[in-house]
Amino acid sequence: MSAPQLGVLALQGAVAEHVRALRDCGAQVRTVRRPAELAGLDGLVVPGGESTTMARLADPVGLFPAVCAAHEDGMAVFGTCAGLILLAEDVADAAALTGYDRIGGLDVTVRRNGYGSQLDSFSAALPVTGLREPLPAVFIRAPVIERAGVDVEVLAEHRGAPVAVRQGRLLGASFHPELTADRRLHGLFAEIAEAGDRPRAMEPAGA
Ligand code: GLN
């Protein structure tokens, strides 16, 4: 199978680190700033940074509705930290995002900065479903996942709250997997994106 075509939303935040991590997983990677750049992608990473800034920058070009449409068409999406906030169906403290499109689709409620300020940043070794050894995870002004819907699989928890979740072709993490050398979560996303659920008209019958 050929390498998955993956994008990294490049409005603001930890873009270069995600590009590097996905390339390390063998993907073809490009940055995305405009709707047309979503064409043909198997998956898109929405990085950490500042969700309010990204929402304001995405607005003039209608980028987030285009991401939704591409997801409905089969593109996988992985939101990390601020990216998770943008993927969440429900944001408990959404005032600063009011009036701007979000991506949505992931049936969770998040609270921005729920783990505290920049000074409260911390790292943890997380047991993650499907990974044999714990995953090093860096939390920076991270959102707390306060609720996960019935269709959401919790892949990892920290202090009793989910911190890595999956709902079909949506993956979300409260932390920054791109800031460590461990590529296993990016590898999982590349697999989800590559598996696809696009029409397989070209596959031989019975494949
Ligand atoms: N607190 C930030 C926000 O609300 C997210 C922080 C991060 O991505 N490291 O967007």
Side-chain angles (χ1 to χ4, degrees):
M1 195 181 267
S2 58
Q5 305 287 321
L6 302 180
V8 179
L9 196 87
L11 300 173
Q12 186 263 342
V15 175
E17 293 86 347
H18 275 297
V19 169
R20 207 172 303 132
L22 293 171
R23 285 195 178 134
D24 286 350
C25 296
Q28 292 280 345
V29 187
R30 63 175 186 254
T31 53
V32 172
R33 293 181 184 80
R34 319 199 134 259
E37 291 163 341
L38 293 165
L41 287 183
D42 300 307
L44 177 74
V45 169
V46 184
E50 180 50 55
S51 54
T52 56
T53 305
M54 283 189 240
R56 280 163 177 72
L57 292 171
D59 202 53
V61 291
L63 190 51
F64 289 169
V67 170
C68 288
H71 172 63
E72 274 162 24
D73 214 26
M75 183 183 74
V77 188
F78 181 16
T80 64
C81 204
L84 166 67
I85 295 167
L86 293 168
L87 272 193
E89 271 296 308
D90 187 37
V91 180
D93 49 343
L97 289 159
T98 303
Y100 296 94
D101 289 318
R102 301 200 306 265
I103 299 167
L106 182 63
D107 186 18
V108 295
T109 301
V110 297
R111 183 173 295 277
R112 297 179 54 231
N113 305 312
Y115 289 99
S117 70
Q118 189 84 14
L119 289 176
D120 301 308
S121 299
F122 64 97
S123 55
L126 295 176
V128 178
T129 303
L131 303 185
R132 230 177 278 157
E133 302 294 328
L135 184 81
V138 180
F139 292 77
I140 306 168
R141 292 184 302 117
V144 167
I145 300 176
E146 294 188 337
R147 179 196 63 87
V150 287
D151 293 332
V152 174
E153 184 189 0
V154 175
L155 301 178
E157 288 185 338
H158 184 66
R159 298 184 201 152
V163 291
V165 293
R166 177 178 177 184
Q167 184 181 348
R169 292 171 62 68
L170 296 175
L171 191 62
S174 314
F175 52 89
H176 284 261
E178 78 288 3
L179 296 184
T180 70
D182 194 310
R183 300 307 193 212
R184 287 175 295 164
L185 211 53
H186 287 89
L188 172 66
F189 180 63
E191 274 173 30
I192 292 170
E194 192 168 20
D197 61 359
R198 292 165 194 261
R200 301 257 165 191
M202 302 306 289
E203 267 179 12

